[in-house]
Amino acid sequence: MRNIILSAFPRNMRLPDPSTPNLKIDLLPEIRESPRILSEVDAALKAKQMKADVDEYLKTRPQGGCSFLTELKQRLLLSPSEAASAGTRYNVPLINSLVLYVGMQAIQQLQSRVPHAQATANTVPMSVFLVSAALDIFQSLIGDLDTEGRYLFLNAIANQLRYPNSHTHYFSFILLYSFAEANQEIIQEQITRVLLERLIVNKPHPWGLLITFIELIKNPRYNFWNRSFIRCAPEIEKLFESVARSCGGLKPVDEGMVSGWVSETAH
């Protein structure tokens, strides 16, 4: 059901084949357009009196001694009574709201800094993408959260991998960058799990989900096939190979589809 909803795309759009050789999604004309969001993205942040703190951090990005990042994990937790009722210790709507709101603010900042002609010419300086308060927030969460919280956080990101648009582009970058920069293999394993469990079910599969997974398994810079969790058992390895074939094959490529966002210099 989740895949069916996330696979929706504008009726006047023709989706590029994710398995197209040398496909560069950052050169697609639609990739700078934002999707229509009819819900109040920041409602959960406002309900927990977090929006002002998030906005302040995104605006000022204070260095050293900042309590916002260190306290963020704790603020995403439910009370014991709420957790017992919800079946999880985390406020899932709040996580979803935080991820999408921060991502939307980051995209607006990035697009205001980079002229349209430069952005579509695939010449955006990597420093523009990597030096941002939003990335600080995402990297802090992915490192500080426990296994349960990180799984919910990664799912909130994967929910934005939809048809070609600026949200799909940005959140694909966040997942791939987090995989490449992870200092624990459990993080890479959880990123893989979140993508894989959405791909092993029947079609449809969201376009952005396919693009991200194909990039991960085919681009040598991620060293995906040498990860220990891929080789932990023959049946697991066969599962990955089966899904990889259905997504366009196993052969590595020299350049990434999202090269405008994640480059060799980023890792």
Side-chain angles (χ1 to χ4, degrees):
M1 181 63 72
R2 178 173 56 191
N3 274 358
I4 290 173
I5 295 171
L6 297 180
S7 293
F9 61 93
R11 66 179 64 190
N12 61 346
M13 178 179 287
R14 185 185 181 100
L15 295 180
D17 184 349
S19 61
T20 301
N22 302 316
L23 175 65
K24 302 293 185 183
I25 71 169
D26 44 304
L27 296 181
L28 297 175
E30 307 92 345
I31 215 63
R32 283 182 56 83
E33 301 298 324
S34 296
R36 291 182 65 195
I37 304 292
L38 301 180
S39 60
E40 190 178 356
V41 172
D42 56 2
L45 292 174
K46 291 177 178 176
K48 291 296 181 180
Q49 290 81 48
M50 283 181 59
K51 184 177 182 296
D53 292 338
V54 172
D55 287 339
E56 180 66 18
Y57 186 85
L58 292 174
K59 181 180 178 181
T60 62
R61 198 192 184 201
Q63 300 296 311
C66 175
S67 62
F68 174 77
L69 291 181
T70 56
E71 296 172 358
L72 187 55
K73 172 187 172 182
Q74 193 66 28
R75 297 176 74 172
L76 298 176
L77 292 171
L78 294 171
S79 67
S81 59
E82 290 173 325
S85 175
T88 175
R89 297 189 302 121
Y90 288 90
N91 187 330
V92 178
L94 183 59
I95 292 175
N96 292 336
S97 177
L98 175 67
V99 166
L100 182 53
Y101 181 76
V102 169
M104 290 172 65
Q105 298 305 305
I107 292 167
Q108 289 179 12
Q109 291 177 8
L110 293 170
Q111 292 185 343
S112 66
R113 294 182 198 174
V114 183
H116 182 271
Q118 184 183 25
T120 55
N122 196 21
T123 57
V124 180
M126 284 306 303
S127 59
V128 173
F129 298 107
L130 298 178
V131 181
S132 74
L135 191 58
D136 290 346
I137 292 173
F138 291 142
Q139 290 297 288
S140 174
L141 286 174
I142 206 167
D144 293 346
L145 289 170
D146 60 15
T147 304
E148 179 189 4
R150 190 185 301 117
Y151 175 75
L152 296 170
F153 168 69
L154 292 172
N155 267 291
I157 294 176
N159 286 341
Q160 309 310 318
L161 304 178
R162 301 164 58 205
Y163 63 90
N165 62 64
S166 60
H167 292 193
T168 294
H169 196 192
Y170 180 77
F171 285 106
S172 179
F173 157 74
I174 291 296
L175 275 186
L176 293 169
Y177 179 81
S178 298
F179 188 97
E181 293 296 306
N183 55 12
Q184 306 172 59
E185 193 169 67
I186 182 60
I187 295 175
Q188 296 166 329
E189 184 174 354
Q190 281 195 287
I191 291 172
T192 304
R193 173 193 171 182
V194 166
L195 296 174
L196 185 69
E197 66 186 10
R198 294 169 183 241
L199 290 169
I200 59 176
V201 297
N202 291 332
K203 295 180 179 180
H205 301 127
W207 182 87
L209 181 73
L210 289 168
I211 284 289
T212 305
F213 187 70
I214 292 171
E215 172 77 355
L216 184 62
I217 65 176
K218 296 186 75 171
N219 195 321
R221 66 174 63 115
Y222 300 110
N223 199 26
F224 181 81
W225 295 102
N226 290 324
R227 305 294 175 183
S228 63
F229 58 84
I230 305 294
R231 309 292 185 185
C232 63
E235 58 270 25
I236 296 297
E237 188 172 354
K238 288 180 180 178
L239 172 63
F240 277 108
E241 290 176 352
S242 175
V243 174
R245 287 191 194 94
S246 70
C247 291
L250 301 170
K251 186 178 179 181
V253 294
D254 293 331
E255 295 185 66
M257 292 182 292
V258 289
S259 57
W261 293 82
V262 185
S263 73
E264 298 283 2
T265 56
H267 310 138

